[in-house]
Amino acid sequence: VHGAVKLLHGDLPQVRKENPLIFTKGTNIARKRGFPDVIMPGDVRNDFYVTLVKAEFERGTKKSGRNVDVEVAVVLDNGQVLNNCVSMGTGEPPVGQYHSTVYYHSNSPQWNEAIKLEIPIEKFHQVHLRFYFRHCSSQELRDKHQ
């Protein structure tokens, strides 16, 4: 796999006009993380970021560490999962749940994974985040990657 990065200067309409071959139909434009100094009228943006940093788990009676999967979901007051609000990246369709990376036999995983949630403004005060921690067997991990 080979990739390249090119820094283009100017605002988006100007850069698109000067570089028409770069901006084909499949090109995704990512918005800058954070907010500009001036927010223009009509620019609605309701980005909510959560960072899954790390955890400490007891080994218990097991001889080796655990394989922990963290599932993050946005749920309404009634417990219903709010679908299509977890962003998996620019150009990817939103999904209903986020699954973390699973570290093999680690009781102290350090994820440092940022999750972007696109929660509709009208439902923002009605939702909660559900973090579901579970142990995955080694067989489940192998099946997941095949």
Side-chain angles (χ1 to χ4, degrees), residues 85-106:
C85 64
V86 179
S87 175
M88 298 306 286
T90 302
E92 294 295 318
V95 295
Q97 299 168 343
Y98 175 82
H99 287 273
S100 70
T101 301
V102 178
Y103 292 100
Y104 184 69
H105 287 180
S106 175

Side-chain angles (χ1 to χ4, degrees), residues 16 19-29:
R16 277 189 173 171
N19 302 280
L21 296 177
I22 294 176
F23 294 96
T24 60
K25 195 172 191 173
T27 303
N28 296 309
I29 306 297

Side-chain angles (χ1 to χ4, degrees), residues 4-60:
V5 176
K6 183 176 181 181
L7 185 61
L8 304 171
H9 298 279
D11 61 351
L12 187 56
Q14 173 193 350
V15 172
R16 277 189 173 171
K17 185 176 180 183
E18 293 173 358
N19 302 280
L21 296 177
I22 294 176
F23 294 96
T24 60
K25 195 172 191 173
T27 303
N28 296 309
I29 306 297
R31 294 181 73 169
K32 184 178 179 183
R33 195 174 192 183
F35 296 100
D37 294 333
V38 177
I39 298 175
M40 301 303 289
D43 187 19
V44 178
R45 190 163 176 189
N46 194 34
D47 298 344
F48 184 73
Y49 290 92
V50 175
T51 303
L52 187 61
V53 180
K54 63 182 179 178
E56 295 283 331
F57 298 101
E58 297 266 335
R59 180 172 291 161

